[in-house]
Amino acid sequence: MTSPRTDLDLATVDAVVLDTDGVITDTARTHAAAWKRAFDELLDNRGARSGTRPAPFDVETDYLRLVDGRSRADGARAFLGSRGIVLPEHGRDGTGTAGTDTLESLLERKTGYFLDEVRTHGVRAFPTTVAFLHELRHRQAGIAAVSASRSCGPVLRAAGVDGLVDVRVDGLDAQRLGLAGKPDPALFLEAARRLAVPPARCALIEDALVGVEAGRRGGFGLVIGVDRQGRLRREMRELGAHVVVADLADVAVVGRHRGTRHPVV
């Protein structure tokens, strides 16, 4: 289904906060593949010990509904909970070395698989998003990139778009500042604070259901859902998206700031 074009009017919005994976960079699928490898290894190991293997991780359903947009730990707990599995947060085995069947080890394996993929194949930014960012900068709007991932910085640099954003808030900031993960709006509110723009004067662009919900809960003036596969449109609208598009080519930036860019703190 073709998305209607929508205007992002800079007479009513001073800054734009964008999710990174799936909105700026084409890395949502890379995260999903890394999660699948890590989860399926764990499920295989548990199945070999118990004789009963839970259903494997499904990229089309489990990633979108349980993992996408959440912090690493929250996403892992949500998926494992769907399979009736609770892992110890961390621990040691009988030899005094770190155990492998823990949440901590699962998260580290996932991150390693993701970074291996990035190093091997690189990162692609969506061309339409790059054009959108250039248009925002030309029109003097503030720009923030947000991600629950700790790898946000390397991903933006690998994609060659780190210079197009004024502010980055990521999983490392969340850990350092004690920011709750989505659907709590804390990450997005921190981005708005650093841009020195009230949330009501910010547009938020997200491709994850929990991110759309966070935008609504944070009081962002315009919440745009990006539904590239055409599967989440109805749910995004129900969770608070003002508009849902298939791609940022469907968003026209209009209006122009007069004067200087907003200060970044």
Side-chain angles (χ1 to χ4, degrees):
M1 180 171 57
T2 302
S3 296
R5 287 183 63 83
T6 188
D7 287 347
L8 191 156
D9 190 350
L10 296 180
T12 59
V13 168
D14 298 317
V16 180
V17 179
L18 303 96
D19 177 58
T20 300
D21 299 296
V23 174
I24 298 177
T25 59
D26 190 11
T27 41
R29 72 180 78 187
T30 310
H31 279 290
W35 277 121
K36 180 169 178 59
R37 183 176 172 187
F39 281 136
D40 285 357
E41 285 178 352
L42 182 141
L43 296 176
D44 284 342
N45 290 337
R46 293 177 71 90
R49 293 195 301 269
S50 68
T52 303
R53 187 190 190 281
F57 181 78
D58 188 290
V59 170
E60 298 299 321
T61 56
D62 292 322
Y63 180 74
L64 288 176
R65 304 192 181 281
L66 298 173
V67 177
D68 190 22
R70 300 181 190 270
S71 71
R72 295 189 313 162
D74 287 346
R77 291 188 192 101
F79 170 72
L80 294 173
S82 75
R83 299 301 192 268
I85 298 171
V86 177
L87 293 182
E89 297 289 305
H90 49 79
R92 296 188 175 275
D93 62 22
T95 66
T97 59
T100 58
D101 208 5
T102 65
L103 185 66
E104 180 181 46
S105 64
L106 173 69
L107 298 181
E108 291 308 309
R109 288 199 303 277
K110 182 270 171 181
T111 297
Y113 295 152
F114 175 78
L115 293 177
D116 284 347
E117 190 72 13
V118 169
R119 284 189 290 266
T120 301
H121 299 291
V123 176
R124 169 182 175 268
F126 291 103
T128 51
T129 301
V130 174
F132 179 78
L133 293 175
H134 278 291
E135 187 66 18
L136 290 175
R137 292 190 73 80
H138 174 69
R139 293 174 182 265
Q140 303 294 302
I143 304 169
V146 174
S147 175
S149 171
R150 300 182 181 189
S151 305
C152 181
V155 163
L156 292 175
R157 287 192 293 273
V161 294
D162 53 321
L164 293 177
V165 303
D166 301 305
V167 163
R168 185 183 82 235
V169 180
D170 59 22
L172 294 174
D173 293 306
Q175 181 181 38
R176 178 173 58 87
L177 299 173
L179 302 177
K182 308 170 195 176
D184 190 288
L187 287 167
F188 294 139
L189 293 176
E190 176 64 14
R193 186 195 69 78
R194 294 184 188 185
L195 289 166
V197 177
R201 294 285 302 183
C202 290
L204 174 68
I205 305 179
E206 254 284 4
D207 71 318
L209 295 175
V210 290
V212 168
E213 182 180 353
R216 174 185 59 78
R217 291 172 59 178
F220 283 78
L222 176 65
V223 179
I224 299 175
V226 178
D227 180 21
R228 298 188 186 278
Q229 303 302 318
R231 295 194 296 263
L232 303 176
R233 181 177 301 270
R234 179 182 58 81
E235 289 167 279
M236 285 182 168
R237 293 302 295 260
E238 290 174 351
L239 287 170
H242 297 103
V243 64
V244 180
V245 298
D247 187 89
L248 289 187
D250 299 322
V251 180
V253 182
V254 300
R256 181 184 295 273
H257 283 300
R258 294 177 174 83
T260 59
R261 289 170 66 85
H262 287 270
V264 176
V265 296

